[in-house]
Amino acid sequence: GAGVSQSPSNKVTEKGKDVELRCDPISGHTALYWYRQSLGQGLEFLIYFQGNSAPDKSGLPSDRFSAERTGGSVSTLTIQRTQQEDSAVYLCASSLGGNFQETQYFGPGTRLLVL
Amino acid sequence: AQSVAQPEDQVNVAEGNPLTVKCTYSVSGNPYLFWYVQYPNRGLQFLLKYITGDNLVKGSYGFEAEFNKSQTSFHLKKPSALVSDSALYFCAVRDRTSGTYKYIFGTGTRLKVLA
């Protein structure tokens, strides 16, 4: 595709339910990143994939958060037993090969609201 | 610890006037520095980056930024602001010596250009 796509664009869920957020990176990009943007806050790094492996999971806030990437392409971020503080915009980004100099290209985000 | 500071939550400027959005950073080694812009309900868009070389970097939409190592700053500038420049601007840094591929983002500065 022409850019990074994310689905759903909006998700409303009840506290305690599980949610899955999907990211389709730019074709051919081997590096994939998840960030969280809370109201009034900067972007918070969650996890980085290079291919199917995740060498940096340091930003995942708790064990309720997990992510996987299959086939070196699509990634899914799963939040189990959602809490109200999980409400935020979740952004995915990809880059060509994970080189430090590379620009990351961001998707439009998934806006999650936990009631 | 690595960090990025954007000291102004909001910057107001009249259309046609020059604009500056401030960013300072703290990293342990030599940084890669980036500016991104976020329009309402859109993902982040890359504006420009400093990797090495000339301290004045030119980017998209007429924006430029000056890397100042002694002041650890990377302020974003534009000679003549447009109403359409109104958006949320993020500064980000990657520390090339730490081995991490993640961006460290500032909290963002909302630019409002007044007609």
Side-chain angles (χ1 to χ4, degrees):
Chain A
V4 179
S5 60
Q6 294 185 245
S7 60
S9 53
N10 290 281
K11 177 71 176 178
V12 181
T13 190
E14 294 178 348
K15 179 180 172 181
K17 295 284 180 70
D18 298 351
V19 294
E20 285 189 352
L21 312 179
R22 176 187 167 106
C23 172
D24 278 279
I26 292 173
S27 178
H29 280 194
T30 63
L32 186 147
Y33 313 77
W34 282 98
Y35 294 86
R36 179 168 70 175
Q37 183 179 18
S38 302
L39 190 64
Q41 309 271 337
L43 275 74
E44 175 189 5
F45 168 81
L46 297 178
I47 187 169
Y48 156 68
F49 286 94
Q50 181 60 46
N52 288 341
S53 64
D56 191 344
K57 304 179 183 179
S58 62
L60 294 177
S62 76
D63 59 7
R64 296 187 294 105
F65 287 72
S66 63
E68 64 176 18
R69 189 178 186 197
T70 54
S73 181
V74 172
S75 177
T76 302
L77 177 68
T78 301
I79 309 173
Q80 295 178 310
R81 306 181 302 282
T82 52
Q83 303 294 313
Q84 288 180 334
E85 61 262 29
D86 298 334
S87 298
V89 177
Y90 290 82
L91 292 169
C92 176
S94 70
S95 67
L96 190 61
N99 183 288
F100 279 114
Q101 299 183 28
E102 291 174 350
T103 299
Q104 293 182 3
Y105 296 89
F106 284 81
T110 293
R111 189 175 299 275
L112 175 66
L113 178 61
V114 182
L115 300 176
Chain B
Q2 303 167 67
S3 65
V4 174
Q6 293 182 244
E8 303 154 317
D9 290 336
Q10 180 158 324
V11 170
N12 295 328
V13 63
E15 186 174 31
N17 282 2
L19 69 87
T20 298
V21 182
K22 296 179 180 177
C23 173
T24 59
Y25 66 89
S26 175
V27 298
S28 57
N30 292 320
Y32 290 122
L33 294 156
F34 299 78
W35 275 101
Y36 281 83
V37 59
Q38 187 176 37
Y39 298 102
N41 301 314
R42 304 272 296 276
L44 274 71
Q45 295 180 31
F46 169 75
L47 275 180
L48 51 80
K49 64 183 177 183
Y50 171 81
I51 302 300
T52 187
D54 195 349
N55 289 346
L56 184 62
V57 179
K58 294 188 182 297
S60 306
Y61 312 120
F63 283 93
E64 58 189 28
E66 185 168 10
F67 171 63
N68 187 317
K69 189 172 184 178
S70 63
Q71 297 185 4
T72 61
S73 67
F74 191 55
H75 301 330
L76 182 70
K77 300 181 180 184
K78 186 173 182 181
S80 179
L82 301 172
V83 172
S84 58
D85 293 329
S86 299
L88 185 58
Y89 290 80
F90 288 97
C91 181
V93 65
R94 295 170 112 180
D95 178 2
R96 62 178 86 175
T97 61
S98 70
T100 178
Y101 284 88
K102 62 187 179 188
Y103 281 140
I104 307 296
F105 280 90
T107 51
T109 298
R110 189 164 301 280
L111 174 66
K112 190 169 184 180
V113 181
L114 307 171

